[in-house]
Amino acid sequence: MMLSPDQALDSDHPSSAPSDPESLEAKGLRSCCASDLEAPDGDGAGGGGEGRPGPHPQQPLSREEKRRRRRATAKYRSAHATRERIRVEAFNLAFAELRKLLPTLPPDKKLSKIEILRLAICYISYLNHVLDV
């Protein structure tokens, strides 16, 4: 008698459902994991994609899974975007202040961040040379 996947999982009788992995594989069943038996999209992958929960409902969520779920909320993303905007503003202000200290011709010439850093390195090297002489 061949059992359906639901009968094999829900059976309370140990004799009615095969317990060793080889006999499960032989009957077309994998382990006793519902997500392994049938994925919603039919590929058998189970969990992991498009926001579906990966772990079993009975098992507690792993630290990584909790972190992923927390980061997926709109509130978290909004707060993260705000923190990132503040960080980038502070970064740009620091570059602007550094740019004011560097001599260039013309003085108001627009420089990229990498040009500002390279010019600062050269200027510091020049000032060290002047002090050594």
Side-chain angles (χ1 to χ4, degrees):
M1 173 175 143
M2 184 142 193
L3 298 174
S4 72
D6 293 334
Q7 290 171 329
L9 291 175
D10 296 334
S11 176
D12 294 331
H13 304 291
S15 61
S16 66
S19 60
D20 63 318
E22 292 170 1
S23 62
L24 287 172
E25 284 292 333
K27 292 190 177 202
L29 301 174
R30 293 188 205 138
S31 65
C32 291
C33 178
S35 64
D36 285 344
L37 292 174
E38 179 155 334
D41 56 357
D43 66 355
E50 299 175 24
R52 287 186 214 106
H56 305 296
Q58 308 92 311
Q59 294 178 344
L61 297 176
S62 69
R63 180 181 294 171
E64 186 61 32
E65 183 64 23
K66 287 179 185 176
R67 186 177 299 134
R68 276 193 207 114
R69 286 187 181 189
R70 185 179 70 243
R71 289 180 178 176
T73 64
K75 182 179 175 182
Y76 181 90
R77 287 192 310 266
S78 175
H80 179 72
T82 301
R83 287 191 306 269
E84 180 65 10
R85 239 186 327 277
I86 292 168
R87 186 192 70 82
V88 168
E89 271 183 31
F91 194 72
N92 288 337
L93 283 173
F95 268 103
E97 288 184 30
L98 179 59
R99 169 65 186 91
K100 290 177 191 172
L101 300 172
L102 299 173
T104 57
L105 289 173
D108 58 345
K109 182 177 187 242
K110 175 78 172 144
L111 298 173
S112 69
K113 291 174 183 172
I114 190 70
E115 289 171 331
I116 292 171
L117 291 174
R118 288 181 178 149
L119 186 57
I121 291 169
C122 290
Y123 189 53
I124 292 169
S125 175
Y126 165 75
L127 291 175
N128 276 334
H129 176 73
V130 168
L131 287 174
D132 288 341
V133 173

